[in-house]
Amino acid sequence: MSKYIFTSESVTEGHPDKVADKISDAILDAYLAKDPNARVAAETVLKNNTVILAGEISSSAEIDTEKVVRNVINEIGFDGHTAEIINLLDRQSPDIAQGVDSALEVREENGSEIGAGDQGIIFGNATDETPELLPLPIALAHRLAFRLTEVRKNGTLPYLRPDGKTQVSVIYEDDKAVGIDTILISTQHDERISQEQLRADLIEYVIKPVIPQQWQNENVRILVNPTGRFVIGGPVGDSGLTGRKIIVDTYGGAAHHGGGAFSGKDSTKVDRSAAYATRWAAKNIVAAGLAERAEIQLAYAIGVAAPVSVYVNTFGTGTLPDEVILDAVSQVFDFTPGGIIRELNLRQPVFAQTAAYGHFGRPDTDFSWERIDRAEELKNVLRLSVHASA
């Protein structure tokens, strides 16, 4: 029997890196609301009361960037009114723009398909471990982080402050979850609250409502603010930077990652759009009952529409060989940047919602890439394929 413990973490919207992510995505949304074809690559750096914006934007729209930044900070729960904002956003390089505006394939054929905004490798994953088809450790960590913010904002625990982190360690036997070893919550709080009250309240109002009853028992170790104090938080306690929580954003380390961040990027950047597309495809493979776990890798060349490679791995759980499933996936899903944008409707201003609590498996949202609307089509293609080869 193979036994091990696997751990994933999440962070709240008040974590400084997540404040940066949300500012970047809110700027993206503000442009998309006025110009669906805007090209945005917005980066944010935070420290103390200073916000630095950098990156490239090409758009016919004009937005009040300062207002967007201040609104985000205020909505999270910090004071954005007095922030010093340094705006270094510039226009997109024409060398990049020409490859995105018209892909290599159609520049050679006088067409109009857009090309990938950069080279890169991208992964999407799904597993039947949880209803949201995410690995259990990251699913539980996200649920705890979301609940931390919920009880702060609804007044259940008004002494909590915006910054926080969660971590869940799950016990596996033969790759199946059998229990929880450790739950860790670190949360910013009012200095007048004792550690004893904080621990009792988090167990009662955060852990118990979130962790399924089957995983709650006296053997689970619960750690709350292990340093003993977490009063100073957010950008005052640490600097924040867009794109620094890429494992939190995806699968908690339980899947491969191509290295590209999401936030602040419009969907011509395949780091983002193709990550959504591969999640969509992997989720439909699992939802169709074709595998217990599926992972898809795409690779792109800048300025080229079609991916240079497509790879499917079901880790030995597939009902058919991986190459057969790959063929069906290639028939059902269009992985060109233009195809992804069209199929998932990625010109809409929905991205600020993704900035905290993960981009996948979110019960509080209805993201297009979380649909399982291609499961039947995948099964039909495979039926025809098997019938033809019989």
Side-chain angles (χ1 to χ4, degrees):
M1 178 183 293
S2 170
K3 185 174 181 178
Y4 59 91
I5 297 174
F6 191 86
T7 303
S8 295
E9 70 160 348
S10 184
V11 297
T12 67
E13 63 185 20
H15 185 284
D17 292 333
K18 283 293 150 197
V19 179
D21 282 345
K22 192 159 189 178
I23 288 173
S24 294
D25 273 336
I27 290 171
L28 168 62
D29 278 357
Y31 274 103
L32 291 176
K34 293 185 174 183
D35 175 13
N37 294 309
R39 302 273 173 73
V40 179
E43 307 282 351
T44 304
V45 181
L46 303 167
K47 182 56 186 170
N48 295 328
N49 205 37
T50 301
V51 180
I52 302 173
L53 306 176
E56 298 77 42
I57 295 175
S58 293
S59 175
S60 60
E62 292 187 7
I63 69 166
D64 187 342
T65 306
E66 183 175 308
K67 182 179 179 181
V68 171
V69 172
R70 296 190 193 282
N71 284 346
V72 168
I73 297 171
N74 289 330
E75 287 168 5
I76 288 172
F78 296 119
D79 182 7
H81 298 293
T82 60
E84 177 189 4
I85 300 170
I86 301 171
N87 191 345
L88 302 178
L89 293 167
D90 205 346
R91 290 190 63 82
Q92 184 181 50
S93 160
D95 291 350
I96 295 174
Q98 70 176 359
V100 179
D101 291 336
S102 181
L104 174 66
E105 298 98 321
V106 293
R107 290 199 301 275
E108 295 173 343
E109 300 173 12
N110 297 316
S112 59
E113 179 65 272
I114 65 172
D118 200 353
Q119 72 176 52
I121 57 172
I122 297 94
F123 292 90
N125 192 282
T127 173
D128 65 2
E129 276 189 42
T130 61
E132 52 264 67
L133 302 188
L134 281 179
L136 182 62
I138 189 64
L140 294 180
H142 282 325
R143 293 179 206 173
L144 290 170
F146 187 85
R147 180 66 178 167
L148 265 182
T149 298
E150 187 175 48
V151 296
R152 170 175 65 88
K153 289 188 170 182
N154 69 17
T156 301
L157 300 179
Y159 59 80
L160 295 182
R161 298 295 177 259
D163 197 354
K165 304 178 79 170
T166 62
Q167 191 168 282
V168 179
S169 302
V170 174
I171 305 167
Y172 285 85
E173 291 182 0
D174 293 334
D175 294 330
K176 300 294 183 182
V178 296
I180 295 176
D181 181 83
T182 304
I183 296 172
L184 167 61
I185 299 179
S186 294
T187 182
Q188 188 184 10
H189 58 87
D190 185 287
E191 62 183 346
R192 293 167 292 184
I193 297 301
S194 69
Q195 288 300 302
E196 291 75 19
Q197 180 180 348
L198 179 64
R199 176 183 172 85
D201 284 349
L202 291 186
I203 291 173
E204 184 65 26
Y205 297 107
V206 176
I207 294 175
K208 284 185 177 180
V210 165
I211 301 299
Q213 190 65 41
Q214 70 194 89
W215 307 120
Q216 295 185 38
N217 58 68
E218 66 278 3
N219 296 321
V220 178
R221 180 171 56 163
I222 297 175
L223 300 175
V224 173
N225 284 11
T227 66
R229 176 183 166 91
F230 189 176
V231 172
I232 300 172
V236 175
D238 196 2
S239 60
L241 179 65
T242 299
R244 198 156 54 183
K245 285 290 179 285
I246 59 176
I247 299 302
V248 171
D249 286 343
T250 52
Y251 307 99
H256 292 96
H257 198 296
F262 300 161
S263 289
K265 297 177 180 178
D266 75 85
S267 295
T268 64
K269 283 76 172 175
V270 288
D271 279 343
R272 182 170 219 160
S273 56
Y276 294 165
T278 51
R279 162 65 177 174
W280 181 37
K283 192 172 181 182
N284 275 270
I285 290 172
V286 174
L290 302 176
E292 296 174 11
R293 179 184 174 197
E295 185 169 87
I296 297 175
Q297 185 206 49
L298 299 178
Y300 292 88
I302 187 170
V304 179
V308 299
S309 67
V310 184
Y311 168 73
V312 171
N313 186 356
T314 62
F315 305 93
T317 70
T319 59
L320 293 166
D322 287 352
E323 58 268 26
V324 175
I325 296 175
L326 169 60
D327 183 63
V329 166
S330 298
Q331 293 182 56
V332 171
F333 294 93
D334 182 352
F335 290 128
T336 63
I340 293 169
I341 291 169
R342 287 190 297 272
E343 294 285 349
L344 296 180
N345 199 20
L346 297 181
R347 299 288 192 190
Q348 303 299 310
V350 299
F351 299 107
Q353 299 175 70
T354 70
Y357 318 111
H359 292 242
F360 309 128
R362 294 275 297 277
D364 61 310
T365 60
D366 186 26
F367 295 138
S368 59
W369 52 91
E370 289 297 304
R371 300 183 312 221
I372 52 173
D373 55 342
R374 300 295 173 89
E376 287 303 316
E377 189 175 352
L378 278 172
K379 289 192 284 188
N380 289 337
V381 168
L382 286 167
R383 287 192 198 101
L384 291 173
S385 175
V386 170
H387 179 74
S389 61

